[in-house]
Amino acid sequence: EVQLVESGGGSVQPGWSLRLSCAASGFTFDDYAMHWVRQAPGKGPEWVSGITWNSGTIGYADSVKGRFTISRDNAKNSLFLQMNSLRLEDTALYYCAKDGQYGSSSYELSWFDSWGQGTLVTVSS
Amino acid sequence: SYVLTQPPSVSVAPGKTATITCGGDHIGSKRVHWYQQKPGQAPMLVIYYDSDRPSGIPERFSGSNSGNTATLTISRVEAGDEADYYCLAWDSDGDYVFGTGTKVTVL
């Protein structure tokens, strides 16, 4: 059974940084691209970032480009999101999500077939 | 940026059919995926590649996609189908785009 467990969320002030982690189990981690998706309170989901199995290709939503950095450690079955220069509008539940395509060399043109339960990031002054 | 528009709400009686649309420019040329989200839970995939069902998803859930509209159909609706539903597609500008969301209420 696929399990994705996020951690690292918290309450911070604008301009601060946070590093989110996602521990994956129940599947061969380095066979899949991975993603971060966030959901602000009362809003729909928003894709944040994606990374291929070998970190060869990475993409970001325009709203976080230049501030957030996605990375992964296949030896530890872990996905990360370094969030810098946090803004009020970054407040959301952040989900780690597994890509739906086995063995794909791209994070694009796919879907998210498993999600964690999320870690809450609150940015307020 | 690419926009996917869904009706804010759909109401349906138990046993009837719920139809949820997802409108976007030439969406028929894209692959569309659908998620169900219940309160306090993460989204769950119910349809991928326009019309394929993940294992464990009932046959009551089906999808189609053509022209400017993708559609999720829930047949023989049950009380447990009450949830928010979101469509998802990849935009060639380099972004995944979620629809605006539809709240399904079972009467």
Side-chain angles (χ1 to χ4, degrees):
Chain A
E1 179 194 0
V2 173
Q3 279 204 316
L4 300 168
V5 180
E6 303 91 339
S7 60
S11 294
V12 298
Q13 295 184 4
W16 287 23
S17 298
L18 274 177
R19 179 176 169 86
L20 306 184
S21 299
C22 170
S25 61
F27 65 102
T28 304
F29 186 66
D30 55 11
D31 277 341
Y32 293 90
M34 295 293 295
H35 304 265
W36 287 100
V37 180
R38 68 185 181 183
Q39 189 168 25
K43 303 294 185 182
E46 177 192 16
W47 176 77
V48 173
S49 182
I51 184 170
T52 52
W53 69 273
N54 63 351
S55 305
T57 306
I58 286 172
Y60 299 96
D62 286 344
S63 57
V64 306
K65 206 170 290 184
R67 300 187 299 122
F68 289 12
T69 303
I70 191 172
S71 61
R72 63 189 293 163
D73 184 339
N74 288 344
K76 296 183 178 179
N77 290 347
S78 295
L79 179 71
F80 305 100
L81 186 67
Q82 177 66 42
M83 304 187 297
N84 298 332
S85 303
L86 282 162
R87 303 170 180 169
L88 298 177
E89 56 265 33
D90 294 320
T91 293
L93 189 60
Y94 283 73
Y95 294 103
C96 167
K98 173 180 164 289
D99 194 273
Q101 298 194 88
Y102 168 79
S104 174
S105 59
S106 172
Y107 68 87
E108 302 172 354
L109 291 162
S110 188
W111 64 96
F112 321 127
D113 68 357
S114 299
W115 302 54
Q117 285 307 300
T119 186
L120 182 63
V121 172
T122 303
V123 185
S124 70
S125 53
Chain B
S1 61
Y2 195 66
V3 176
L4 296 176
T5 302
Q6 300 179 232
S9 62
V10 167
S11 298
V12 58
K16 300 300 185 182
T17 298
T19 301
I20 304 163
T21 58
C22 174
D25 192 37
H26 299 295
I27 194 173
S29 65
K30 303 179 183 296
R31 299 288 193 175
V32 177
H33 321 286
W34 289 91
Y35 293 87
Q36 176 193 73
Q37 186 177 30
K38 296 181 179 180
Q41 297 184 16
M44 180 180 73
L45 182 70
V46 294
I47 292 288
Y48 66 101
Y49 264 170
D50 295 339
S51 59
D52 289 345
R53 275 187 315 277
S55 61
I57 299 301
E59 291 182 7
R60 302 185 297 104
F61 288 82
S62 62
S64 63
N65 184 18
S66 179
N68 292 320
T69 304
T71 303
L72 173 69
T73 302
I74 311 172
S75 304
R76 302 180 300 284
V77 165
E78 303 174 357
D81 298 331
E82 189 162 284
D84 293 327
Y85 291 82
Y86 297 94
C87 56
L88 169 72
W90 169 259
D91 175 30
S92 55
D93 281 347
D95 229 349
Y96 283 96
V97 178
F98 283 91
T100 51
T102 298
K103 180 176 182 62
V104 170
T105 299
V106 180
L107 301 171

